[in-house]
Amino acid sequence: MPKLETFITIANALEVSADLLLADVLSTGYNVKSSEMTEEIASLPTFERDRIYSIVNTMIDLKKINQKKPYVNSRKAFLQ
């Protein structure tokens, strides 16, 4: 396990925050990713934002449908 000083040195060298470096391994990391994605999406033209939201909403709807049918393989259902 690296020392904290090594971690700080890496974060400083990359000029990023510790939460960004740990986003993939911490349960709260999704908040960081979500915030970054929100900023990225907000910078897009309206048409592009609408397309992204439509895709995400479709994926959420499919997840809800698949949760009601536990016997359905979600990958197969997604590909159909």
Side-chain angles (χ1 to χ4, degrees):
M1 172 87 53
K3 293 183 178 181
L4 180 59
E5 293 83 16
T6 304
F7 178 75
I8 292 170
T9 301
I10 292 169
N12 286 333
L14 295 174
E15 297 181 356
V16 297
S17 65
D19 58 345
L20 183 62
L21 287 175
L22 297 171
D24 289 336
V25 295
L26 296 176
S27 58
T28 59
Y30 286 104
N31 293 336
V32 173
K33 285 184 180 182
S34 178
S35 178
E36 289 177 346
M37 292 295 276
T38 299
E39 290 176 17
E40 290 286 332
I41 292 170
S43 70
L44 297 172
T46 303
F47 174 74
E48 301 253 343
R49 285 194 310 258
D50 290 344
R51 287 176 48 193
I52 290 170
Y53 290 137
S54 176
I55 291 167
V56 171
N57 285 330
T58 299
M59 293 179 74
I60 291 169
D61 290 344
L62 283 172
K63 178 70 175 170
K64 288 177 184 176
I65 290 168
N66 288 336
Q67 284 177 340
K68 293 178 184 177
K69 300 177 183 177
Y71 58 87
V72 174
N73 180 322
S74 61
R75 183 168 187 264
K76 287 182 183 176
F78 181 75
L79 295 175
Q80 291 178 344

